[in-house]
């Protein structure tokens, strides 16, 4: 029987009260804030937001609980923008949509910082005994793609260093059931040559090897190119994530049917950047459709998730989408029993 798990890739919208409080404290809106240098009042505001984001997931009935990443003002770039050897440049746009972040300019060695681990430690204290923590990180290829290297001087060496950095971060994490590595750049700006393909797969494997939890490599805003996917299959991860909302379904199906898949799969079934709220029935139909298209693959677990982060959604719509995922997973589980 397939295990259906309702979850998300994190990066939630700030609760309205927290957004206003932080705006008053910092004098700017969330997208204009710099993380990593918070005083006690700002730290308390983020702590309160973390509690609310976890409570929202608990209320919705999700199977995996993320920390919510309220402090990640620079989205996927956050683990670098708070690093002591990284300078944050101006606001830039990335992935050709409404995603903005400060350009992390790496000017020294990327040693492990423990920043994300501290967030997860705080989240763990809020979880009940029957709740499972899910860690979230940018994948090494995407994080390197979003950054500017002013220190290592070689693309391959820099990607290798980012992989070591993230592996060191993961080693400091508290116990967690799942780790989502968010890799949109592997979809939108894939490696141009076999050597980089091999290295991208190897550094993903290295980060995955730093945790005892299940590892999901989540791509979105398209589909993995054939060559990229074939190389990724060499990485010792538990699942790949496919964007069934804004991706290329035919390419996803070709990859799986041609090169196989891991024993688990993550499906982006709910639009993380559109206010239209999908019904649980629609989510179930998308799960069934995908499984029908790959009859030779019997997945042990299917993660039901939003296709992207929900940061840009109104809080109310974000919460409704969490409920849709949770209800779809419950209904699907009842059908498969």
């Amino acid at each position: 029987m397939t295990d259906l798990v309702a979850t998300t890739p994190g990066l939630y919208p700030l609760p309205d009260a927290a957004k206003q409080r932080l705006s008053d404290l910092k004098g700017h809106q969330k997208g204009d804030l710099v993380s990593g240098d918070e005083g006690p009042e700002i730290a308390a505001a983020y702590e309160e937001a973390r509690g609310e984001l976890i409570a929202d997931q608990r209320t919705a009935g999700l199977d995996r609980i993320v920390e919510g990443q309220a402090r990640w003002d620079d989205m996927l770039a956050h683990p670098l923008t708070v690093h002591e050897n990284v300078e944050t440049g101006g606001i830039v746009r990335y992935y050709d949509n409404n995603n903005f972040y400060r350009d992390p300019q790496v000017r020294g060695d990327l040693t492990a910082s423990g920043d994300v681990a501290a967030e997860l430690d705080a989240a763990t204290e809020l979880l009940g005994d029957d709740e499972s923590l899910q860690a979230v990180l940018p994948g090494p290829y995407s994080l390197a793609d979003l950054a500017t290297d002013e220190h290592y001087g070689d693309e391959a060496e820099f990607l290798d260093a980012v992989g070591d950095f993230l592996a060191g971060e993961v080693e400091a994490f508290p116990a967690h059931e799942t780790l989502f590595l968010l890799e949109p750049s592997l979809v939108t700006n894939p490696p141009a040559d076999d050597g980089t393909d091999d290295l991208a797969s190897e550094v993903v494997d290295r980060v995955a090897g730093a945790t005892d939890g299940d590892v999901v490599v989540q791509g979105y805003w398209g589909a993995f190119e054939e060559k990229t996917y074939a190389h990724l299959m060499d990485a010792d991860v538990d699942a790949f994530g496919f964007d069934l909302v804004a991706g290329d379904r035919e390419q996803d199906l070709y990859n799986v049917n041609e090169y196989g898949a891991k024993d688990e799969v993550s499906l982006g079934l709910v639009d993380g950047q559109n206010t239209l709220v999908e019904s649980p029935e629609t989510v179930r139909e998308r799960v069934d459709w995908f499984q029908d298209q790959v009859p030779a693959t019997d997945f042990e677990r299917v993660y039901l998730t939003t296709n992207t982060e929900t940061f840009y959604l109104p809080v109310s719509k974000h919460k409704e989408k969490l409920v849709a995922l949770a209800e779809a997973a419950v209904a699907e589980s009842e059908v498969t029993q």
Side-chain angles (χ1 to χ4, degrees), residues 13 48-49 58 102 105 121 136 161 165 188 195 201 224-225 239 311:
E48 183 177 334
R58 180 180 295 128
R102 282 181 171 81
Q105 301 170 5
D121 285 336
V136 173
F165 163 67
T188 64
S201 177
F224 296 115
E225 288 189 352
F311 170 74

Side-chain angles (χ1 to χ4, degrees), residues 216-227:
V216 178
V217 179
Q218 189 79 19
Y220 45 101
W221 290 318
F224 296 115
E225 288 189 352
E226 178 181 357
K227 183 163 64 72

Side-chain angles (χ1 to χ4, degrees), residues 257 290-298:
N257 288 319
F290 183 84
Q291 292 183 308
D292 288 344
Q293 300 303 309
V294 288
T297 304
D298 186 16

Side-chain angles (χ1 to χ4, degrees), residues 13-24 28-30 315:
L14 266 175
D16 293 333
K19 184 185 296 184
Q20 184 60 55
R21 184 179 176 188
L22 287 163
S23 177
D24 292 342
H28 299 282
Q29 292 299 316
K30 184 178 188 295
V315 173

Side-chain angles (χ1 to χ4, degrees), residues 205-275:
D205 183 83
R206 192 184 315 161
V207 177
T211 175
D212 293 330
D214 285 356
V215 177
V216 178
V217 179
Q218 189 79 19
Y220 45 101
W221 290 318
F224 296 115
E225 288 189 352
E226 178 181 357
K227 183 163 64 72
T228 300
Y229 185 84
H231 282 279
L232 279 175
M233 279 295 294
D234 293 332
D236 187 14
V237 300
D238 298 277
F240 295 123
F242 303 119
D243 182 350
L244 298 189
V245 175
D248 182 342
R249 295 185 180 188
E250 294 306 314
Q251 182 63 45
D252 288 332
L253 294 175
Y254 173 82
N255 289 338
V256 173
N257 288 319
E258 182 71 18
Y259 297 99
K262 302 297 183 177
D263 292 336
E264 303 176 2
V265 68
S266 177
L267 301 179
L269 304 161
V270 170
D271 196 331
Q273 298 193 327
N274 190 304
T275 56

Side-chain angles (χ1 to χ4, degrees), residues 275-290:
T275 56
L276 177 65
V277 178
E278 299 84 348
S279 68
E281 291 75 22
T282 295
V283 177
R284 290 199 299 271
E285 288 171 1
R286 291 172 178 173
V287 174
D288 292 341
W289 177 87
F290 183 84

Side-chain angles (χ1 to χ4, degrees), residues 61-144:
L62 293 185
D63 299 302
R64 298 285 187 274
I65 303 295
V66 299
E67 188 268 342
Q69 295 75 49
R71 289 178 59 245
W72 290 31
D73 303 329
D74 297 313
M75 305 297 282
L76 293 180
H78 170 86
L80 286 185
T81 60
V82 297
H83 195 282
E84 62 180 1
N85 290 333
V86 177
E87 295 182 9
T88 51
I91 298 290
V92 296
R93 183 181 181 185
Y94 69 107
Y95 296 127
D96 197 28
N97 52 35
N98 292 325
N99 291 270
F100 297 87
Y101 77 119
R102 282 181 171 81
D103 175 24
Q105 301 170 5
V106 179
R107 301 186 183 275
D109 289 344
L110 290 176
T111 54
S113 71
D115 182 83
V116 178
E119 294 178 338
L120 294 176
D121 285 336
T124 299
E125 295 178 2
L126 301 177
L127 297 185
D129 293 338
D130 60 341
E131 293 179 320
S132 299
L133 177 67
Q134 176 171 295
V136 173
L137 276 179
Y141 184 84
S142 292
L143 189 57

Side-chain angles (χ1 to χ4, degrees), residues 141-200:
Y141 184 84
S142 292
L143 189 57
D145 182 50
L146 294 174
T148 299
D149 173 29
E150 300 287 354
H151 175 67
Y152 293 93
D154 177 81
E155 182 180 350
E157 185 179 351
F158 182 53
L159 176 56
D160 193 60
V162 171
D164 283 343
F165 163 67
L166 289 176
E169 296 295 293
V170 172
E171 288 173 357
F173 284 3
H176 51 281
E177 189 78 14
T178 317
L179 169 63
F180 263 48
L181 294 176
L182 309 184
E183 283 284 18
S185 287
L186 276 177
V187 169
T188 64
N189 185 31
D193 56 74
D194 286 339
T196 309
D197 269 320
D198 283 335
L199 180 57

